Amino acid sequence: MGYMTIDGIEVEFTDESNVLSVIRKADIDIPTLCYHSELSVYGACRLCTVENDRGKTFASCSERPRDGMVIYTNTPRLMKYRKMILELLLSAHCRDCTTCIKSGECHLQELAHRMGVTSIGYENKKTQYPIDMSSPAIVRDPNKCILCGDCVRMCDNVQHVNAIDFAYRGTEALVTPAFDKTIAETDCVNCGQCRAVCPTGAISINTNIEVIWEALADKNVKVIAQIAPAVRVAVGDAFGLARGENVMGKIVNVMHRMGFDEVYDTAYGADLTVMEESKELLERLTSGEKLPLFTSCCPAWVSYCESHYPELVDHISTCRSPMQMFGAVMQEYYKEPKKNGGKQILSVAVMPCTAKKAEILRGESKTDGKQDVDYVLTTTELITMIKKTGIRFENLDIESSDMPFGIGSGAGIIFGNTGGVTEAVLRRLTDGHNRSDMDRIRHSGVRGEEGIKELTFPYKDREIRAAVVSGLGNADELIKRIKSGEAEYDFVEVMACHRGCVMGGGQPVQAGPRTRAARAKGLYDTDINTQIKKSNENPLTVTLYNTLLKGKEHKLLHRNME
Ligand code: FES
């Protein structure tokens, strides 16, 4: 512990690893472009520069706090310096801010506005590069890159994917896949975490907004939507509502008003996943084969396993993801003319995830050769669409999701948090359903935002050994331990994004620690307020198994591997 003086005020520090964190603790929002608390310190942008009592300037993100330090964060010299840095960055940046997809969400734009940059006195002489649209999930525009390196460190240090890196030197320096390949030609898993940390429009979502507007206006098309659990706790703060507030009811209302014919809840699909995955786990525990069973809900994880650990692909559950199960069930349901009204069915999934845009295109995501989900809209795209309508989202009344797929259990809702799938499976495998049974599972070690969690849970005359991992780098570490024999599990939940889908690559960006915690709490609070806690007690699930799914469980709920 120690004390620093910041702008004349004494501030205590304890375990803060750099001066910047102490400044932020003192509620001073000092500008940064290349600092993220979860990435290694790069110190390239120099925007966080401060001055000490001897007039020395230094980057606060790269300096350890020392007892007795005296610093100033907002002297005229520093203000001028920061403005100049921004002007230089913008001088080599394309200037189509008004038409940029990141406009309004762009950190560079926000800082330029804050620092009073009103004109740029330099000509942009930088080589112009083609925009990489090869991925169904993300778009790379090198002309908007400011070389902060956030995406590179995310892809390399945190996700262990290494799809992009710095290339060339000096004014030719560039962030790009190796050998100037397109992003689709790399091992990119489409997780979108590079986009989540990119402060500009250099990495953005490959959007499907226009085609959805067209479908909504077409009288011959019935547009059916499903909403993933994590979406409902990330939309509200874009409209001035409390962070993490569950606004599912308002989302359903606004989507109806936008022209979506039916709006369902993917938590229902998650319930189907729990049913099938629990069954698969018990079968593998009995046979002792292909253990541990890895979850299959996260498409970025499935892609990562295929490219980095192909020998483990057989260990991944054969279950489709909740989105895909729901997609297949809906297509089956709407086959009947009575249900589709003679119209073409367009199935749209609103997801917190960019990788879902790639998942729907995979061969195994098709039934009888047809895509089960036609388009994925990320949370960010949905927010953009709502804003375009001008509807005052914050003032809307709530509406319930449509039937017959409108009810998801609490177990399905918590899928959006890391540990949610495991908790839901343990609920399914537990006979009881009262509060103490649920509490026992909740306190088993399954909750919390750590990247790797381990737990054991009694089941009949044995124990189930489980691990919960979020972040692909953590998955990589865990797999190495499993392969070396250092760790042994029966069940491993993997989510590619740290903390799970609530922090997915399609969620609104710039989510700090308070937003992250609020989103997780929003889902757990929703579970608390839900009467049906277990997937096998969802009456709609039970009915479906006895009707539409009869004899078709494998075809509609498991991945088509042919
Ligand atoms: Fe410190 Fe960029 S935030 S140098």
Side-chain angles (χ1 to χ4, degrees):
M1 193 178 88
Y3 290 91
M4 289 175 52
T5 305
I6 302 174
D7 299 334
I9 293 167
E10 199 167 77
V11 183
E12 184 188 283
F13 62 88
T14 48
D15 52 0
E16 285 79 11
S17 58
N18 52 42
V19 170
L20 176 66
S21 306
V22 188
I23 295 171
R24 288 194 165 158
K25 190 176 167 187
D27 265 344
I28 300 169
D29 182 19
I30 194 163
T32 57
L33 275 171
C34 72
Y35 179 78
H36 280 273
S37 55
E38 306 197 325
L39 303 180
S40 57
V41 174
Y42 186 44
C45 76
R46 314 311 282 180
L47 273 176
C48 68
T49 296
V50 295
E51 194 172 334
N52 70 12
D53 50 345
R54 280 166 290 146
K56 186 182 161 218
T57 57
F58 57 89
S60 60
C61 68
S62 315
E63 193 85 12
R64 292 197 78 77
R66 290 188 305 278
D67 195 30
M69 250 181 165
V70 178
I71 60 157
Y72 300 92
T73 66
N74 280 313
T75 63
R77 182 183 172 200
L78 291 172
M79 303 267 204
K80 207 166 144 196
Y81 184 56
R82 283 181 198 138
K83 191 173 172 194
M84 187 189 73
I85 292 172
L86 287 166
E87 282 173 0
L88 285 169
L89 283 173
L90 286 164
S91 73
H93 188 83
C94 92
R95 296 173 195 172
D96 62 355
C97 281
T98 47
T99 52
C100 177
I101 191 167
K102 203 76 176 275
S103 185
E105 258 199 327
C106 171
H107 195 41
L108 178 65
Q109 185 187 51
E110 184 216 326
L111 289 182
H113 184 66
R114 248 175 79 185
M115 296 300 132
V117 178
T118 50
S119 62
I120 303 149
Y122 313 94
E123 199 186 326
N124 185 357
K125 293 203 175 131
K126 226 176 145 199
T127 314
Q128 294 301 295
Y129 298 96
I131 298 172
D132 181 355
M133 302 273 296
S134 63
S135 156
I138 55 166
V139 175
R140 281 192 338 104
D141 183 350
N143 308 304
K144 293 175 182 167
C145 177
I146 55 168
L147 301 174
C148 66
D150 291 357
C151 56
V152 173
R153 283 173 290 141
M154 175 55 83
C155 192
D156 179 2
N157 305 356
V158 178
Q159 297 296 64
H160 293 194
V161 173
N162 300 316
I164 43 174
D165 207 341
F166 285 103
Y168 313 113
R169 284 166 186 269
T171 52
E172 296 303 309
L174 195 63
V175 170
T176 175
F179 310 114
D180 289 330
K181 287 180 181 168
T182 63
I183 196 76
E185 292 168 320
T186 68
D187 281 343
C188 171
V189 296
N190 302 303
C191 69
Q193 287 299 302
C194 54
R195 174 254 165 198
V197 293
C198 176
T200 71
I203 303 179
S204 58
I205 295 168
N206 195 346
T207 177
N208 298 113
I209 289 177
E210 289 312 318
V211 66
I212 304 296
W213 281 127
E214 277 168 31
L216 291 173
D218 190 336
K219 299 274 172 285
N220 298 314
V221 178
K222 193 173 173 101
V223 187
I224 314 290
Q226 53 168 308
I227 317 286
V231 174
R232 70 202 66 193
V233 289
V235 172
D237 48 341
F239 296 94
L241 299 169
R243 300 174 232 239
E245 184 180 328
N246 177 355
V247 292
M248 181 66 176
K250 287 179 188 289
I251 296 174
V252 174
N253 188 342
V254 81
M255 288 181 71
H256 280 149
R257 289 177 64 161
M258 284 157 74
F260 287 86
D261 293 280
E262 310 287 347
V263 183
Y264 296 126
D265 192 339
T266 311
Y268 176 75
D271 281 334
L272 298 173
T273 304
V274 174
M275 300 294 285
E276 293 301 305
E277 211 155 73
S278 306
K279 197 163 108 200
E280 193 178 11
L281 174 62
L282 293 182
E283 281 165 8
R284 293 205 195 179
L285 285 173
T286 307
S287 70
E289 283 171 14
K290 294 188 240 166
L291 289 172
L293 172 70
F294 287 103
T295 56
S296 56
C297 316
C298 171
W301 148 244
V302 173
S303 298
Y304 183 83
C305 186
E306 285 168 344
S307 57
H308 288 69
Y309 294 102
E311 69 281 13
L312 290 178
V313 164
D314 271 1
H315 287 245
I316 297 178
S317 164
T318 62
C319 291
R320 296 182 187 216
S321 66
M323 174 187 79
Q324 285 301 144
M325 284 193 181
F326 205 165
V329 165
M330 276 199 287
Q331 296 287 3
E332 187 70 17
Y333 178 80
Y334 283 104
K335 259 185 189 168
E336 271 186 48
K338 215 167 80 196
K339 309 266 173 41
N340 62 36
K343 294 183 179 184
Q344 180 203 331
I345 295 298
L346 193 96
S347 165
V348 178
V350 185
M351 295 282 135
C353 172
T354 44
K356 291 280 173 193
K357 286 178 182 273
E359 182 186 10
I360 59 172
L361 304 175
R362 291 172 64 109
E364 65 199 36
S365 301
K366 294 175 182 165
T367 307
D368 298 329
K370 186 186 178 310
Q371 251 176 255
D372 291 317
V373 176
D374 296 302
Y375 293 101
V376 165
L377 276 180
T378 57
T379 311
T380 305
E381 290 167 275
L382 178 66
I383 291 170
T384 304
M385 290 179 77
I386 298 171
K387 285 186 173 166
K388 191 169 182 182
T389 64
I391 295 170
R392 300 291 282 269
F393 182 83
E394 63 278 21
N395 295 338
L396 283 178
D397 290 331
I398 58 172
E399 275 181 18
S400 54
S401 331
D402 292 301
M403 291 298 263
F405 307 119
I407 299 176
S409 74
I413 298 280
I414 58 175
F415 257 58
N417 285 336
T418 171
V421 181
T422 309
E423 186 167 346
V425 166
L426 294 178
R427 287 184 187 184
R428 166 73 185 100
L429 298 180
T430 298
D431 286 334
H433 58 186
N434 58 29
R435 190 144 29 112
S436 64
D437 295 314
M438 296 303 109
D439 280 352
R440 190 160 49 91
I441 297 169
R442 169 151 69 119
H443 296 303
S444 65
V446 76
R447 293 198 181 182
E449 61 170 36
E450 299 87 348
I452 300 180
K453 293 170 280 191
E454 293 171 294
L455 59 128
T456 53
F457 196 81
Y459 176 71
K460 300 210 162 132
D461 54 352
R462 63 167 295 160
E463 287 207 311
I464 293 176
R465 300 158 301 171
V468 174
V469 195
S470 66
L472 288 173
N474 291 324
D476 191 26
E477 298 299 326
L478 190 87
I479 291 172
K480 287 193 172 103
R481 283 173 50 204
I482 294 172
K483 286 178 74 98
S484 71
E486 195 191 316
E488 227 178 299
Y489 307 104
D490 303 309
F491 184 79
V492 180
E493 172 193 318
V494 188
M495 295 292 160
C497 300
H498 191 197
R499 299 180 182 82
C501 309
V502 285
M503 292 305 294
Q507 296 280 70
V509 292
Q510 295 173 27
R514 275 181 291 181
T515 305
R516 299 197 290 253
R519 286 182 189 167
K521 186 173 182 303
L523 291 186
Y524 287 134
D525 286 351
T526 306
D527 171 45
I528 288 171
N529 286 319
T530 306
Q531 274 87 0
I532 306 161
K533 301 279 189 247
K534 297 172 54 156
S535 303
N536 51 312
E537 293 179 359
N538 180 348
L540 299 186
T541 313
V542 178
T543 308
L544 195 79
Y545 272 96
N546 292 327
T547 53
L548 181 141
L549 270 179
K550 229 180 175 106
K552 294 185 187 148
E553 294 93 332
H554 200 81
K555 181 179 176 191
L556 300 181
L557 304 183
H558 288 260
R559 291 187 283 148
N560 169 11
M561 306 298 205
E562 287 125 39

